Amino acid sequence: MNYYKIALLSSPLEPLTYSSSFELELNSVVHVVLNTRELNGVVLLSCDKPDFKTLEILEISSSYYSQKQQQLAKFIATYYFCSLGDAFGIMVPFLDVSHAEKKKQDTQSIELSCKQEQALEFLKKHQVSLLFGDTGSGKTEIYMKRFQEIMQEGKRSIFLMPEISLTPQMGIRLEEHFGSHVVMWHSKLTPLQKKKAMEKIRSGEAYIIAGPRSALFLPIKDLGLIVVDEEHDDSYKASSRPRYNARDLAIYMGKIHAVPVILGSATPALTSYVKFPHVRLKGGHFKSNKEFIYERCKENLSPLILTALENTYKAKEQSIVFLPTRANFKHLLCGDCGHHYECAFCSVGMSIHQKSRAMKCHYCNFTQAIPQVCSACGSANLSSSRLGTAEAVKNIREVFPHVKVEQFDRDIITTQSKLKKALKRFNDKETDILVGTQMLSKGHDYHGVTLAVVMGMDNMLHMGDYRAREKALSSLIQVSGRSGRKKDAKVLIQSFNEEFFSTYINSYEDFLEEEKFFREGLYPPYKKLCRILFSHKNGAKAREAMDVMQGKLFVCHNIEVVGYGKCAIERVANKYRFEILLRSDKSTDLIKAIKMSKVPLAEIDMDPIDFG
């Protein structure tokens, strides 16, 4: 009998020992049993016969993980504090099949402008580099030219985008140029589409593999380049274990594969701007002017906004309206006793969805009917605050019944097909006004937009987050960048902070230079942060775990306990939450301290981006 340590895929358990009458290859995928359930695992190493009874491995599959995948999995498990099974679980293994290599087809050459050529030459000189290009400055053409060069070398490229919502338009552009050599990969593909895509990847026919963060973990041979578009976007950070950041892992993968990595954005993260050499690409292809108008008032569809929407419609042009909040309203409040409606399981206000006549929690999905009278005092004087997308659509339709208005957020755009159709209707001028959340700002090409209305910026600016200024300004630049692609445009911004936004709206690098000064000695990129979360249905147990761990952390060297206590949102899904925030000069010191002091309830979030 042979004995092996097996990491169970997507399981938080430590490796378990199994036996086999066959000799197994390390990193191969096997089927095993655990408590009557059949699971997949990866063979980590052979070991001596243990002093307990072992179960036998059921079956050896033809899948295996490569040496580089194993190296990446070990890094993820160590840095992001998860099991090896969790780390291997996000990757797709290689398959032991021999395919005839597909011949490369010639593609038409991509013509770049002189500025784009200079930018491309700069990117080729560095292992990791940042393409800091304004919206519409032609970053995609530079990526495509680089893909073409890598393809001519017989190698493959990974093209990461922050969200599925970016894939339809980008997919069309890539397929127009590279044809069947492109594979779009994301979670909304049907099983059949996934199977076909995987066949193209494994056969070597796919030379460009594009998609959100999961595209990074596919079994790609002869990798030659990784491009991370919209590298500033928070969607690259996973919110559940393993809590990795795909942008950072792309940089690490570039290192282990010895391939170049290009990061691209119109509003790069300060961390990337400081850490990597960058080339600046200014201006857009289209010569159009933008007028920025500020309105000092709280979030609402003011007469100024309604007039601007009406004038744009009369001119047979299109508008986009940005709001950070989904649903009809964010909060329900009693005007007589001040009672505030919170989720029964989370300490957050419920969102009001009038279409389904319900109040819904956007954290745990708990839903209840909208009350007609206050449950605390019986008053009918209930009012809502924080306007949401659904309410804005309803209000605009009431004022302008002939105008075609569409809601563009996760409540409505639930499938890839709905997304494609909504974008097509807008670009075919069947929709006059698109009202949406962050989805609006995600790199879509809207040809005819001459008015962008931006609301809720002050809420973003005043969030309890060291990146609040960066996030708010970046969102404003990204949304305003969707307008004025072909014609002159207006950007109407509701904010009491005109001085801040107007100073930096056209000079993001000046903002980054100033932000360096504020962050030095306190926050990334100059310091490393780690957030440790404790959650339990019994609040006393969660608090006790936090107290035990922070007591151990206080004696660790080279790290600082910035603070500890209840989370800003104390309860989510009926679990009480506590946290510790750590700061250090080096991540190795943080890792060492956490290893020494970790308690079973602790959930580690290295390089956190969410402090809610």
Side-chain angles (χ1 to χ4, degrees):
M1 265 299 178
N2 304 288
Y3 296 90
Y4 296 96
K5 290 281 184 194
I6 307 289
L8 302 177
L9 296 184
S10 304
S11 163
L13 296 174
E14 288 300 304
L16 301 175
T17 308
Y18 285 86
S19 58
S20 171
S21 47
F22 301 99
E23 274 196 36
L24 303 180
E25 292 282 329
L26 298 189
N27 298 333
S28 57
V29 177
V30 292
H31 302 302
V32 295
V33 168
L34 179 70
N35 298 339
T36 72
R37 283 194 309 145
E38 281 194 26
L39 301 166
N40 286 335
V42 57
V43 180
L44 298 179
L45 60 132
S46 62
C47 60
D48 296 332
K49 183 181 178 179
D51 52 10
F52 51 83
K53 194 167 180 273
T54 58
L55 291 172
E56 203 166 336
I57 287 164
L58 297 180
E59 193 187 331
I60 305 155
S61 82
S62 53
S63 306
Y64 67 94
Y65 290 97
S66 69
Q67 284 298 118
K68 288 190 169 71
Q69 282 179 314
Q70 184 201 35
Q71 200 178 334
L72 182 63
K74 281 182 176 170
F75 172 78
I76 291 169
T78 307
Y79 189 81
Y80 293 107
F81 284 88
C82 65
S83 70
L84 271 168
D86 274 334
F88 275 113
I90 59 175
M91 301 179 200
V92 179
F94 285 83
L95 199 59
D96 251 339
V97 284
S98 56
H99 278 284
E101 190 74 14
K102 293 277 194 292
K103 285 194 173 71
K104 298 194 300 294
Q105 289 175 2
D106 290 329
T107 53
Q108 292 170 308
S109 188
I110 294 159
E111 297 300 318
L112 297 183
S113 69
C114 183
K115 279 183 186 174
Q116 288 171 320
E117 282 288 358
Q118 286 167 355
L120 180 60
E121 287 311 308
F122 176 90
L123 298 171
K124 285 186 197 173
K125 287 176 188 156
H126 302 278
Q127 212 269 314
V128 182
S129 51
L130 171 65
L131 177 55
F132 182 176
D134 292 347
T135 310
S137 61
K139 294 188 291 293
T140 308
E141 285 82 4
I142 294 173
Y143 301 151
M144 285 167 73
K145 180 79 170 179
R146 196 74 186 101
F147 293 150
Q148 192 174 45
E149 292 172 350
I150 296 294
M151 192 171 160
Q152 280 157 358
E153 292 171 22
K155 292 182 176 175
R156 282 151 191 84
S157 303
I158 295 174
F159 184 22
L160 289 191
M161 292 169 267
E163 287 196 36
I164 299 164
S165 62
L166 280 182
T167 56
Q169 289 187 328
M170 191 59 83
I172 291 163
R173 285 185 78 171
L174 290 170
E175 280 160 12
E176 272 174 5
H177 200 84
F178 298 104
S180 64
H181 294 308
V182 176
V183 159
M184 304 304 291
W185 181 269
H186 51 78
S187 60
K188 293 278 196 285
L189 294 179
T190 64
L192 181 64
Q193 286 171 325
K194 273 194 172 169
K195 186 171 176 267
K196 284 181 177 172
M198 195 50 75
E199 278 169 5
K200 282 172 82 169
I201 292 167
R202 288 192 161 125
S203 72
E205 187 186 344
Y207 278 86
I208 298 156
I209 296 93
R213 56 179 192 243
S214 57
L216 194 59
F217 307 112
L218 296 169
I220 298 161
K221 284 181 174 160
D222 306 318
L223 185 63
L225 172 72
I226 304 172
V227 171
V228 185
D229 193 26
E230 307 292 348
E231 64 84 35
H232 66 277
D233 200 289
D234 284 356
S235 326
Y236 284 123
K237 173 84 169 154
S239 57
S240 56
R241 201 176 56 238
R243 293 169 180 263
Y244 67 89
N245 189 317
R247 176 198 60 202
D248 299 344
L249 285 187
I251 293 161
Y252 182 77
M253 267 180 70
K255 204 160 123 187
I256 60 178
H257 284 267
V259 302
V261 179
I262 298 171
L263 310 175
S265 177
T267 54
L270 181 67
T271 306
S272 305
Y273 179 75
V274 169
K275 276 176 136 177
F276 306 113
H278 73 271
V279 60
R280 188 76 176 92
L281 206 58
K282 289 194 172 187
H285 281 326
F286 314 114
K287 294 283 168 264
S288 62
N289 295 312
K290 263 187 215 143
E291 182 189 356
F292 293 92
I293 301 159
Y294 292 86
E295 183 183 27
R296 286 176 65 82
C297 80
K298 69 179 181 62
E299 209 174 297
N300 69 14
L301 288 166
S302 63
L304 179 68
I305 289 175
L306 292 171
T307 304
L309 290 171
E310 185 179 21
N311 291 342
T312 307
Y313 173 68
K314 283 178 176 170
K316 293 188 165 51
E317 289 164 353
Q318 291 172 299
S319 308
I320 54 172
V321 178
F322 169 82
L323 281 149
T325 311
R326 284 185 284 150
N328 291 77
F329 290 101
K330 182 69 180 166
H331 302 294
L332 189 64
L333 201 69
C334 175
D336 288 342
C337 75
H339 177 65
H340 172 226
Y341 280 85
E342 278 195 350
C343 171
F345 303 100
C346 310
S347 44
V348 290
M350 304 272 278
S351 294
I352 300 156
H353 291 255
Q354 279 166 351
K355 194 177 178 185
S356 53
R357 295 181 182 172
M359 287 166 54
K360 189 175 179 182
C361 172
H362 287 169
Y363 282 78
C364 73
N365 289 329
F366 170 69
T367 306
Q368 70 180 68
I370 300 171
Q372 301 307 303
V373 295
C374 174
S375 57
C377 73
S379 164
N381 185 13
L382 296 174
S383 63
S384 311
S385 63
R386 287 288 300 278
L387 184 72
T389 44
E391 187 67 13
V393 167
K394 183 171 148 255
N395 293 351
I396 295 167
R397 281 178 181 155
E398 281 168 5
V399 180
F400 309 120
H402 307 301
V403 176
K404 293 187 185 75
V405 189
E406 275 204 47
Q407 191 177 332
F408 193 70
D409 61 25
R410 284 205 179 88
D411 288 336
I412 298 295
I413 308 293
T414 52
T415 65
Q416 187 75 352
S417 157
K418 284 180 182 175
L419 177 69
K420 280 183 181 172
K421 285 172 184 168
L423 288 172
K424 187 177 187 307
R425 282 193 298 274
F426 195 63
N427 278 331
D428 291 349
K429 301 275 180 84
E430 290 171 32
T431 307
D432 302 308
I433 302 170
L434 211 51
V435 179
T437 51
Q438 290 287 2
M439 224 185 219
L440 268 185
S441 65
K442 304 281 185 184
H444 299 300
D445 228 343
Y446 310 123
H447 311 308
V449 174
T450 59
L451 173 68
V453 174
V454 188
M455 299 156 81
M457 281 292 111
D458 291 352
N459 286 316
M460 292 179 84
L461 194 60
H462 297 134
M463 277 160 49
D465 181 341
Y466 75 92
R467 295 187 310 140
R469 283 160 42 103
E470 187 183 308
K471 282 179 178 177
L473 184 61
S474 168
S475 285
L476 179 56
I477 291 170
Q478 293 284 345
V479 175
S480 65
R482 304 298 130 217
S483 67
R485 289 286 174 113
K486 296 278 170 76
K487 291 181 183 173
D488 291 356
K490 282 191 173 85
V491 181
L492 215 160
I493 303 149
Q494 269 188 351
S495 173
F496 289 99
N497 294 279
E498 178 181 346
E499 191 184 347
F500 169 70
F501 289 120
S502 62
T503 304
Y504 299 117
I505 188 87
N506 286 316
S507 53
Y508 194 71
E509 57 264 66
D510 290 348
F511 164 73
L512 291 172
E513 289 298 333
E514 187 185 281
E515 193 70 359
K516 277 186 193 176
F517 169 75
F518 286 120
R519 300 239 194 124
E520 198 133 19
L522 290 170
Y523 297 112
Y526 306 103
K527 291 277 185 179
K528 298 295 278 185
L529 294 180
C530 178
R531 186 176 181 225
I532 306 166
L533 292 157
F534 307 84
S535 67
H536 199 278
K537 284 187 175 173
N538 181 335
K541 283 194 174 175
R543 180 185 275 284
E544 186 190 350
M546 176 193 73
D547 289 340
V548 169
M549 188 159 174
Q550 65 96 0
K552 291 179 179 179
L553 285 164
F554 268 123
V555 298
C556 294
H557 300 298
N558 303 328
I559 65 146
E560 176 193 353
V561 177
V562 179
Y564 60 92
K566 290 176 183 174
C567 288
I569 297 171
E570 188 190 346
R571 207 162 54 113
V572 169
N574 216 21
K575 284 186 175 180
Y576 291 88
R577 298 160 11 112
F578 293 83
E579 67 184 336
I580 300 172
L581 188 64
L582 302 179
R583 176 161 57 200
S584 181
D585 288 331
K586 294 191 297 204
S587 48
T588 45
D589 289 334
L590 284 174
I591 291 166
K592 205 182 292 178
I594 292 162
K595 275 185 176 167
M596 281 166 57
S597 58
K598 194 171 181 291
V599 297
L601 267 189
E603 175 83 24
I604 312 299
D605 187 6
M606 283 295 274
D607 308 324
I609 61 163
D610 178 18
F611 299 89

